[in-house]
Amino acid sequence: MSNTELTVDVLVIGWGKAGKTIAGRLAAEGRKVALVERSAQMYGGTCINIACVPTKDLIDSASKRDGRDPVSYFTSAVADRDALIATLNHANHAMLEGKVLLLDGIASFTGPHTVKVAGGDDEIAVHAETIIVNTGSHPATLPIPGADGPRVHDSTTIQHVDPLPSRLVIVGGGFIGLEFAQMFARFGSQVILLEAGETFAPALDSDIATRVRGMLEGEGITVVTGAQVTSFDDAGDHVDIVTGDRTFAADAVLVPAGRRPATEDLNLAAAGVATDERGYIIVDDQLRTNVEGVYAVGDVNGGPQFTYVSLDDNRVLWDTLHDGPRRRDDRVGVPATTFLEPPLSQVGMTMRQARESGRSVLVATKDVAAIAAMPRPKIVGQTEGVIRVFVDADDHTILGATLWCIDSQELVNLVSLAMRLGARYETLRDGIWTHPSSTEAFNEVLAALEPLR
């Protein structure tokens, strides 16, 4: 780039799942498309570079340590993680190279349809009638003294902590915190998990939360509830995490405090693009902002922060641009998985939501170890967990499920599909599944439905 102007049909800001996909599709139909990314380390987006893929790679490595020296093994695992991500990063760049005009730099609006892209000493003004914002989100920080200290990490920087912390404190018992707690414990760290509230994992049914906590504690993780952190005090060779009445010493702290929209450099006010009270770009169910021709996809629009939802935003936006029927409010049964071992997956209603729904509800709950029709967990020696499914008693459709078991990240997709299709639960109960497989659990679990009390 060098101080010039450019006009394209479509400008995409940010190389996330939705942005890169819609950019390639629009270019393939003959539109002139430019894609701006501020960091070469983020080609392909958050998922493949700093989130889903690298963390799951580290989780897998941690489960295979088998007593090897923790520090050297962790260093090797991080190197393997980096090699994988470099390959994916390069592959994503190659997917669009030569098809889409790729610009490296920081994008900021100067008007409703004009964006300045600055890279080093160079600057270019890009005009486009269609602008798609896909800048994603950043880890949020806590407004606590010492939160910017050198030993305090977010979910991105902790992946390159060096060396492996002998003592790790994780502030927050959300699902990201749970994944990292088990992962670092398996790498060899002494892990303490601090939860500000009195309830551990409140998003789970209480009985399942109790069992998950028991599993983590069985792996040596200390769980402390009612621990509101008031400061992080750096002590040179360690950091003290101060709560109301206790102090915990650690070599490193992880604060998985949620996410915030990556909009700080966009100068949205110059375009007149509206945001909500949290700073996320406001869109309608067709992903349109309040400015004609400007759209927002992925995490930056405040929807569920999953890469597969971002991919679905691409489908919605494609139909918006081509007068198709797809909308965000079409979504039913969006699943989620926390990659513990065994993985913990959820879709639809929990116990509390089922009770508050006003419906007549059937429920089936079975311990994985007791499901005779599901031999796979016994074969691989991973019988921890429980499967629970909620069903509408009147029309027999599935309302939700919690699946804490081996292969749940796959099983939950089948439940989600059944929910989207409005299928009766008998479709899963009477399905003909391969053997031995985890899917066979549905044959037995859904035969044990009873009224929710």
Side-chain angles (χ1 to χ4, degrees):
M1 301 186 303
S2 66
N3 305 319
T4 185
E5 295 185 3
L6 172 71
T7 297
V8 294
D9 299 318
V10 181
L11 173 64
V12 180
I13 306 173
W15 203 321
K17 186 70 171 181
K20 67 181 181 184
T21 307
I22 197 74
R25 296 177 73 188
L26 292 173
E29 69 171 9
R31 302 202 200 195
K32 185 176 182 180
V33 181
L35 173 60
V36 181
E37 176 53 57
R38 64 183 300 148
S39 169
Q41 282 69 52
M42 292 300 290
Y43 295 151
T46 296
C47 177
I48 69 161
N49 288 294
I50 59 174
C52 324
V53 176
T55 58
K56 301 327 173 259
D57 182 73
L58 289 173
I59 287 170
D60 181 67
S61 293
S63 70
K64 297 174 179 176
R65 183 168 69 89
D66 296 330
R68 282 172 278 185
D69 173 67
V71 175
S72 60
Y73 184 80
F74 178 71
T75 299
S76 176
V78 171
D80 289 344
R81 167 224 183 265
D82 291 350
L84 170 64
I85 299 317
T87 299
L88 296 177
N89 180 281
H90 177 76
N92 270 263
H93 191 275
M95 287 178 188
L96 296 182
E97 192 172 17
K99 304 171 186 175
V100 172
L101 177 62
L102 303 176
L103 303 174
D104 291 332
I106 298 174
S108 59
F109 282 93
T110 57
H113 292 281
T114 305
V115 171
K116 177 181 70 176
V117 180
D121 295 329
D122 295 327
E123 184 176 297
I124 186 171
V126 183
H127 177 84
E129 288 304 307
T130 299
I131 298 179
I132 302 167
V133 182
N134 182 220
T135 49
S137 61
H138 300 308
T141 57
L142 293 179
I144 295 174
D148 58 350
R151 294 179 178 270
V152 181
H153 297 269
D154 59 34
S155 58
T156 298
T157 63
I158 194 67
Q159 295 175 50
H160 286 97
V161 63
D162 185 31
L164 173 74
S166 177
R167 301 166 299 174
L168 174 67
V169 167
I170 299 177
V171 180
F175 294 126
I176 294 175
L178 299 185
E179 286 187 355
F180 277 98
Q182 188 182 58
M183 180 183 81
F184 272 98
R186 291 183 171 191
F187 274 127
S189 299
Q190 296 176 3
V191 177
I192 298 176
L193 184 66
L194 303 181
E195 171 56 56
E198 296 295 338
T199 303
F200 172 78
L204 296 174
D205 294 343
S206 60
D207 58 330
I208 295 176
T210 297
R211 291 181 57 172
V212 171
R213 177 174 180 168
M215 179 194 72
L216 295 175
E217 291 176 334
E219 295 194 27
I221 298 166
T222 300
V223 178
V224 183
T225 56
Q228 181 72 51
V229 176
T230 56
S231 69
F232 302 105
D233 298 340
D234 189 78
D237 63 345
H238 71 278
V239 58
D240 289 323
I241 300 90
V242 182
T243 66
D245 57 355
R246 298 180 65 180
T247 297
F248 302 88
D251 302 295
V253 181
L254 167 61
V255 184
R259 310 284 293 181
R260 59 184 176 84
T263 56
E264 59 272 14
D265 294 319
L266 286 175
N267 193 21
L268 294 172
V273 174
T275 59
D276 66 15
E277 66 282 357
R278 299 174 300 160
Y280 289 97
I281 296 176
I282 298 171
V283 296
D284 63 12
D285 284 324
Q286 292 179 282
L287 301 174
R288 300 175 298 192
T289 71
N290 61 304
V291 177
E292 185 176 357
V294 179
Y295 307 86
V297 295
D299 292 1
V300 77
N301 67 28
Q305 297 191 353
F306 302 119
T307 191
Y308 43 92
V309 172
S310 182
L311 178 63
D312 194 51
D313 274 1
N314 143 76
R315 301 184 191 108
V316 173
L317 182 54
W318 178 266
D319 273 17
T320 298
L321 297 176
H322 294 81
D323 297 321
R326 191 76 176 81
R327 299 166 54 93
R328 283 204 305 178
D329 55 6
D330 293 340
R331 291 176 183 153
V332 175
V334 177
T337 295
T338 302
F339 282 86
L340 297 169
E341 189 174 281
L344 171 62
S345 301
Q346 295 175 282
V347 63
M349 291 184 181
T350 61
M351 182 73 78
R352 176 183 59 80
Q353 292 167 333
R355 287 195 171 117
E356 294 175 353
S357 69
R359 298 171 182 250
S360 178
V361 178
L362 303 175
V363 61
T365 303
K366 277 216 167 188
D367 289 351
V368 169
I371 302 175
M374 185 188 185
R376 175 162 157 72
K378 300 178 180 67
I379 292 170
V380 300
Q382 196 177 110
T383 57
E384 180 66 83
V386 61
I387 294 177
R388 173 170 291 155
V389 184
F390 298 99
V391 169
D392 188 298
D394 297 321
D395 64 14
H396 289 199
T397 56
I398 298 171
L399 301 175
T402 297
L403 305 110
W404 179 33
C405 63
I406 185 172
D407 300 327
S408 75
Q409 77 277 12
E410 306 293 346
L411 298 182
V412 74
N413 290 329
L414 192 56
V415 177
S416 178
L417 178 60
M419 292 174 67
R420 286 198 294 275
L421 294 175
R424 294 166 63 94
Y425 80 85
E426 291 92 344
T427 302
L428 294 182
R429 184 197 65 187
D430 300 334
I432 301 173
W433 315 119
T434 56
H435 177 81
S437 69
S438 295
T439 321
E440 293 175 290
F442 294 126
N443 295 143
E444 185 171 326
V445 173
L446 289 170
L449 287 165
E450 59 183 19
L452 176 64
R453 296 180 177 84

